[in-house]
Amino acid sequence: MNWFKKFMYGRYGVDELSIALLILSIILIFISEMLSKYLYAFGLIAYIPILLYAFRTFSKNIYKRQQENGKYLRMKNALIVWLKQKQVRAKELKTHKYFKCPNCKQTLRVPRRKGKITITCPKCKNKFKGKS
Ligand SMILES: [Zn+2]
């Protein structure tokens, strides 16, 4: 294993983005196996993420690979926050309604079945009418 340690010296190695690329490739290969009768070229596309995985792992441009991973993690976290927000809203669908302040675009939550109401934005104090 000593030769491998020497080989990997100064190289980037595996990070979260690389693992995601590897998983993506496995999923794509699996799908392409199922669709192989219909889409021949799809099988080749499935290997692109695994090539990126290898390129990133053995890359010596550590700074650039860290930047890519950081970008990936920020996008992943934004997606998780967005999905959690959707989940919360789906749970509250029967009890609350969401409005967007026409002035500052702030999202506001009001209880349902109150009829026509005047909503005051807590952020910019703008008042607007809505039906809950
Ligand atoms: Zn507002």
Side-chain angles (χ1 to χ4, degrees), residues 100-106 108 120-128:
K100 201 166 244 180
C101 171
N103 189 38
C104 71
K105 310 293 179 220
Q106 170 80 32
L108 308 165
T120 307
C121 173
K123 196 176 166 193
C124 70
K125 309 294 175 207
N126 177 43
K127 284 183 201 290
F128 61 97

Side-chain angles (χ1 to χ4, degrees), residues 52-95:
L52 282 170
Y53 165 84
F55 167 76
R56 295 189 77 255
T57 302
F58 303 127
S59 171
K60 286 186 174 177
N61 192 345
I62 291 167
Y63 176 75
K64 201 159 186 191
R65 300 293 86 79
Q66 282 173 339
Q67 296 290 309
E68 288 166 1
N69 193 48
K71 201 173 174 183
Y72 163 73
L73 291 175
R74 280 191 295 278
M75 277 166 56
K76 194 187 102 178
N77 288 337
L79 181 70
I80 288 168
V81 166
W82 184 79
L83 285 172
K84 277 187 177 166
Q85 199 180 47
K86 290 282 165 205
Q87 196 181 19
V88 166
R89 283 193 188 190
K91 260 187 203 167
E92 293 177 336
L93 200 66
K94 281 182 178 166
T95 55

